[in-house]
Amino acid sequence: MRTHPLYADVSYQEGWNGAILGLPLLIGDRTVGVMNIAYNQPREFQASELRVLKLLSDQVAIAVENARLFEQVAVERRRLRLLYDTGQKLVASLNIDSILSKAIELVTLSLGGKVGIATLYNVKTKTLKIRGIYGRDIKSPEVKKVRELNMGEGIIGWVAENREAVYIPDVRHDDRWTYFEGIDHPQGGFVAAPVLSGSSLLGVLSIQSDIEGVISEEHLDLLEAICQQVGLALSNAQRYQDVNRLVDRLAGEQHRKEALIEGLPIGVLLLTEDYRLELINTQGKKYLKQLSSAKVGDVIAHLGPYSLSELIARSEEPLPVDIVLEKPPKKVFELQMRSVQNNRQQWVVTLQDVTVIRTVQDRTQMQTRLATVGQLAAGIGHDFNNIMAAILVYTELLLQEQNLPLRFEKRLHVIKQQIERASELIHQMLDFSRSSVMEETQIDLLPFLKELEKLLERTLPETIKVTLRGELGEYFVNVDPTRMQQVFMNLAVNARDAMPEGGELSFEISSISYRDVGAELYPFLSEEEWAMVTVSDTGTGIPENIIQHIFEPFFTTKEVGKGTGLGLAQVYGIIQQFDGHIEVKSTEGVGTTFTVFLPMVLTVAEDDTEQIEDVLLDGTGRRVLLVEDDPAARQALKSMLEMFDYQVVAAANGLEALEHLQAGEFYFVVSDIVMPEMGGVDLYYHIQAKWPDIKVLFVTGHPLHGKEKKLLEKEGVFWLQKPFTIQKFIQIVEDFFEEEKA
């Protein structure tokens, strides 16, 4: 060995003095190793020894190659097993986090790594988010701190940006390395590969060991193969999630539509091509029970009185079909039917219960019609009042004449009676038009009705039984008692006429509030307590085609001469004037029920009525200012006042009256209310401002509204409704001056 240049230094240092033979281990032309044979003593090898050793080296080479191949097969088997296990684990999951967590755990364990990180690429933010980690707690503060990586940041970011796998024997010698404390090891091997779907980046898998040499470049191929499987699994999971989101969205849309249909205040029915009921909402089930016996799955042959073929023939009409169920309680439905063309023929049917709506519409139409007729009646009443006032005053003046022939006196009394009858008709017309001035006071309806019950028992035929029912309590309302008695007497008389063979007339009183019934049944109710009085009979009833006209003036079904047609019109007007309402329901052959609603008062006023002694009416030449625009009425009133020894100055309107007032003094003023240029109300306030000691007596034949009506309702304001008798005038003037003395 000392003579060979390769070993000279070695043999000298170690003190060797022998021989050595080196033989290459060859497989063909490929060297798989070297076999050295050493001797302690120097010697030379014979040719035969060399041949033997050559044969031995060939056998050793074959054994080494076999061992290497066996190890390679074992490694490949492990690689294939890893790929198989990874595939089995991943294919069983469609959750992205689960796929990444399982994949990074398997590959890290298989490659002998210490830390494995799986990141998922976010296309919108262009960042990599850690979704799976092995060897560290994903919930730890260190991991949360670097949960997202930017493209190009560290080796993982470089792999993602370049779509290229990388193997690094020791990270300390790579400039791309970024150390994250608490996650990475400061040294060791590193391997990473992108997870792709075609050319699209899905994420990155990376494994790091804590020492050099554990991870080799051969592991790169295995990691790339696993990344392909992960990419396929992620794509499948993404597609699955997309499908699930679509299904959820469609299901949500379907649920929203069903909830929308279910929440509609109308009935919705879906029919198949052969008219079989396929779908129906809750409101539809409620309505269908009243129109058909069909259920889901049944063929619908008819809805109410209409066959389905009739409804289909009208399905293109713009307006809905009215379905009226006459049996009590009466119901009215609006139905619309439309064809739906999808992949199959279907029909949509909508149903709406409009019974209450139609009732309100009918009530509104009736009130509008009555208001129009009322305006006409009020205008006629005004003209008649002026005419009747003049005739009545002149008639009574003639009756005051001395030596009047008896036959003339009788004729004048007939004229006076007819005027009074006409006056009553005019009052009824004004009551209907809500233009009368009522003398309102507070009364308790229960004792009022008890007294009325006694009166009716005495006046109605014995074949009619009168009853009164009601809860004990107080039912105070603001009304004119005389007019209220007139209301119930009119209703009682109508009930009597409807029961010629006898029957029962019943009154019932109760209280009702907006909170009890709401606005659907009685929309006119305000948020206060109401008194409700029902007047029911067991008579012949009112036909449906007539009932909507019964409150109209001059409408009557009685024979000529037996009715004016103003009774119920007057009832309607009086109730309306007390801010009340009246309803009517009737069934032929069963009877009729009128329901009167009046607002109740919460505080009860004390009765402060005082007795007034009579005084004589004597003008004794005092000056009186008469203001009247109608010439005939003005002349009649002037003659009457002069008969009482008053000195009368006449004016045609308020402006003329002011001129007379400025020119001289007057004892009192008699004035009409509605006049041209200046009316009685404005005149009254001028007098109150400049001559407060002068009293004003109003006489009017005009229907009163607004400020005129409010003035007459004030305490201390005196007035007379035309036409009036001389006796009524005397009485009002006596009251007029008695108050002044008081």
Side-chain angles (χ1 to χ4, degrees):
M1 290 177 63
R2 288 180 296 177
T3 62
H4 197 283
L6 291 175
Y7 297 99
D9 294 338
V10 175
S11 61
Y12 175 76
Q13 292 174 3
E14 299 294 333
W16 287 2
N17 187 22
I20 186 169
L21 176 65
L23 297 170
L25 302 179
L26 300 172
I27 298 296
D29 296 333
R30 182 166 56 86
T31 302
V32 297
V34 176
M35 183 177 69
N36 289 331
I37 300 173
Y39 291 89
N40 292 331
Q41 300 296 326
R43 63 164 293 182
E44 291 185 2
F45 292 91
Q46 300 296 321
S48 59
E49 289 178 322
L50 292 174
R51 285 196 296 273
V52 172
L53 292 173
K54 179 67 171 65
L55 291 173
L56 180 61
S57 67
D58 289 342
Q59 292 301 316
V60 172
I62 292 172
V64 170
E65 180 66 13
N66 287 339
R68 190 188 65 77
L69 291 174
F70 180 80
E71 184 180 354
Q72 186 176 355
V73 169
V75 170
E76 187 64 25
R77 286 181 63 187
R78 286 197 301 272
R79 179 177 181 275
L80 293 174
R81 185 66 187 178
L82 176 60
L83 291 173
Y84 175 78
D85 290 344
T86 303
Q88 290 295 105
K89 295 278 188 181
L90 299 184
V91 78
S93 178
L94 290 169
N95 180 271
I96 291 177
D97 288 329
S98 177
I99 290 171
L100 292 174
S101 296
K102 290 177 180 179
I104 200 64
E105 179 183 2
L106 284 172
V107 72
T108 305
L109 288 172
S110 299
L111 300 185
K114 291 295 182 180
V115 178
I117 298 175
T119 58
L120 190 69
Y121 179 61
N122 189 316
V123 178
K124 292 182 179 180
T125 62
K126 299 188 182 302
T127 57
L128 296 159
K129 186 173 184 179
I130 299 176
R131 299 287 288 272
I133 192 167
Y134 177 78
R136 298 287 186 267
D137 184 2
I138 197 169
K139 297 180 181 179
S140 67
E142 293 83 4
V143 175
K144 289 182 178 179
K145 185 177 179 181
V146 291
R147 195 71 185 270
E148 286 189 348
L149 300 173
N150 295 318
M151 295 291 284
E153 183 180 2
I155 300 176
I156 294 175
W158 184 91
V159 170
E161 190 171 54
N162 292 276
R163 310 297 203 268
E164 183 181 334
V166 66
Y167 162 69
I168 302 171
D170 192 338
V171 293
R172 291 177 295 177
H173 308 305
D174 195 295
D175 295 336
R176 296 167 296 183
W177 172 250
T178 300
Y179 174 67
F180 296 109
E181 187 175 359
I183 300 177
D184 298 324
H185 285 284
Q187 62 185 16
F190 190 91
V191 64
V195 179
L196 303 172
S197 176
S199 60
S200 300
L201 177 67
L202 299 180
V204 175
L205 298 186
S206 63
I207 298 94
Q208 185 189 4
S209 65
D210 56 347
I211 57 175
E212 186 178 355
V214 174
I215 295 176
S216 66
E217 192 169 1
E218 293 178 356
H219 292 150
L220 198 60
D221 293 337
L222 178 60
L223 182 60
E224 287 185 301
I226 291 174
C227 283
Q228 289 180 0
Q229 288 187 320
V230 173
L232 181 61
L234 288 178
S235 297
N236 290 337
Q238 188 65 49
R239 283 193 288 271
Y240 175 76
Q241 290 186 359
D242 290 343
V243 170
N244 272 350
R245 279 194 292 270
L246 179 60
V247 170
D248 290 343
R249 188 163 62 249
L250 292 175
E253 186 69 17
Q254 180 69 16
H255 178 73
R256 189 184 68 82
K257 290 179 179 178
E258 290 177 357
L260 179 64
I261 293 174
E262 186 65 27
L264 288 174
I266 62 174
V268 180
L269 289 69
L270 182 64
L271 309 182
T272 61
E273 186 176 5
D274 57 350
Y275 316 125
R276 196 175 299 277
L277 182 59
E278 185 175 24
L279 180 68
I280 184 171
N281 66 350
T282 302
Q283 201 68 26
K285 292 177 183 177
K286 176 182 175 182
Y287 295 157
L288 187 61
K289 288 180 182 178
Q290 304 173 65
L291 300 174
S292 173
S293 60
K295 299 179 181 178
V296 175
D298 295 345
V299 174
I300 294 182
H302 65 87
L303 289 171
Y306 293 97
S307 67
L308 210 64
S309 58
E310 291 178 296
L311 295 174
I312 291 172
R314 300 180 63 176
S315 63
E316 298 300 324
E317 294 180 4
L319 297 178
V321 178
D322 280 358
I323 297 180
V324 182
L325 302 181
E326 296 292 349
K327 62 180 181 180
K330 181 180 177 180
K331 287 284 187 179
V332 182
F333 294 94
E334 285 184 350
L335 179 145
Q336 284 190 303
M337 190 170 185
R338 293 290 185 268
S339 173
V340 179
Q341 298 288 346
N342 293 321
N343 55 343
R344 59 194 177 103
Q345 173 78 34
Q346 289 178 301
W347 295 90
V348 173
V349 179
T350 60
L351 286 168
Q352 185 174 8
D353 186 348
V354 295
T355 306
V356 175
I357 296 175
R358 293 296 176 84
T359 301
V360 173
Q361 288 176 345
D362 291 344
R363 183 188 294 121
T364 303
Q365 290 173 359
M366 182 187 71
Q367 290 175 345
T368 303
R369 186 170 61 251
L370 293 179
T372 302
V373 177
Q375 292 175 355
L376 176 62
I380 295 173
H382 169 250
D383 293 339
F384 270 96
N385 274 336
N386 280 330
I387 295 171
M388 291 296 105
I391 296 174
L392 183 58
V393 169
Y394 280 127
T395 300
E396 292 202 326
L397 288 176
L398 287 173
L399 287 171
Q400 301 290 331
E401 293 289 335
Q402 299 293 328
N403 303 319
L404 183 68
L406 182 62
R407 67 179 184 278
F408 290 159
E409 184 178 349
K410 290 181 179 179
R411 290 171 184 175
L412 287 173
H413 277 297
V414 171
I415 293 173
K416 182 179 177 181
Q417 290 173 356
Q418 294 303 310
I419 293 172
E420 290 174 347
R421 184 180 176 189
S423 176
E424 180 59 30
L425 290 175
I426 294 169
H427 276 298
Q428 288 181 316
M429 292 170 60
L430 293 178
D431 284 341
F432 165 73
S433 66
R434 301 169 60 188
S435 302
S436 298
V437 177
M438 304 291 183
E439 297 179 5
E440 294 187 15
T441 186
Q442 289 185 3
I443 66 168
D444 187 348
L445 279 179
L446 186 55
F448 177 84
L449 290 175
K450 288 180 179 179
E451 292 299 321
L452 179 68
E453 180 188 18
K454 296 176 183 177
L455 175 63
L456 292 175
E457 286 175 343
R458 294 194 303 268
T459 56
L460 292 180
E462 294 181 356
T463 55
I464 296 178
K465 180 182 178 183
V466 181
T467 61
L468 171 61
R469 295 186 297 271
E471 302 174 358
L472 293 178
E474 294 181 338
Y475 301 89
F476 279 97
V477 292
N478 274 331
V479 295
D480 183 329
T482 303
R483 298 302 177 91
M484 281 308 303
Q485 184 175 12
Q486 194 170 8
V487 165
F488 292 120
M489 287 298 292
N490 279 352
L491 296 177
V493 169
N494 281 350
R496 178 203 64 189
D497 294 343
M499 298 184 290
E501 305 299 326
E504 182 177 353
L505 172 62
S506 62
F507 292 79
E508 184 171 356
I509 184 170
S510 61
S511 62
I512 189 173
S513 70
Y514 175 88
R515 296 180 298 275
D516 296 332
V517 297
E520 183 176 301
L521 189 59
Y522 302 117
F524 50 80
L525 291 182
S526 55
E527 295 187 7
E528 56 188 357
E529 294 291 323
W530 290 71
M532 182 172 70
V533 181
T534 59
V535 183
S536 303
D537 65 57
T538 57
T540 55
I542 306 172
E544 185 177 355
N545 63 329
I546 292 177
I547 198 168
Q548 58 183 331
H549 300 290
I550 62 172
F551 293 122
E552 295 176 4
F554 309 114
F555 180 85
T556 180
T557 57
K558 297 178 182 179
E559 298 177 11
V560 177
K562 291 189 176 183
T564 62
L566 286 172
L568 288 177
Q570 185 182 24
V571 166
Y572 176 85
I574 292 173
I575 296 299
Q576 288 282 309
Q577 199 154 348
F578 295 142
D579 296 325
H581 296 269
I582 184 168
E583 300 280 321
V584 59
K585 292 182 180 179
S586 184
T587 303
E588 286 190 81
V590 177
T592 301
T593 297
F594 288 90
T595 305
V596 176
F597 300 88
L598 293 169
M600 294 172 60
V601 294
L602 300 179
T603 57
V604 181
E606 296 182 0
D607 187 2
D608 56 356
T609 305
E610 297 181 359
Q611 297 295 326
I612 300 175
E613 296 181 1
D614 291 339
V615 295
L616 295 175
L617 182 62
D618 184 8
T620 61
R622 295 186 181 93
R623 280 164 53 89
V624 174
L625 178 60
L626 172 63
V627 190
E628 169 64 64
D629 65 318
D630 185 82
R634 184 169 63 245
Q635 186 58 45
L637 292 172
K638 184 174 183 294
S639 300
M640 180 186 68
L641 288 167
E642 289 174 343
M643 183 184 72
F644 297 132
D645 199 20
Y646 285 109
Q647 183 181 349
V648 181
V649 176
N653 56 59
L655 291 179
E656 288 186 16
L658 288 177
E659 293 177 359
H660 291 301
L661 285 166
Q662 291 171 352
E665 295 182 356
F666 290 92
Y667 186 44
F668 67 95
V669 176
V670 178
S671 175
D672 193 4
I673 291 182
V674 180
M675 296 177 291
E677 297 188 42
M678 178 184 285
V681 174
D682 292 336
L683 174 62
Y684 173 82
Y685 288 118
H686 276 84
I687 293 173
Q688 289 290 302
K690 292 186 177 182
W691 305 281
D693 295 332
I694 298 180
K695 299 295 183 181
V696 178
L697 171 63
F698 289 109
V699 291
T700 180
H702 202 279
L704 301 176
H705 302 281
K707 63 180 182 180
E708 294 91 354
K709 187 175 180 181
K710 288 182 179 179
L711 175 60
L712 296 192
E713 290 173 345
K714 286 179 61 176
E715 186 177 356
V717 176
F718 289 84
W719 61 279
L720 276 173
Q721 178 76 52
K722 298 176 184 177
F724 51 83
T725 64
I726 293 177
Q727 187 58 43
K728 283 185 179 180
F729 183 84
I730 294 173
Q731 183 63 49
I732 197 72
V733 173
E734 288 178 350
D735 295 341
F736 189 73
F737 288 108
E738 185 64 27
E739 183 186 73
E740 184 179 15
K741 291 179 181 179

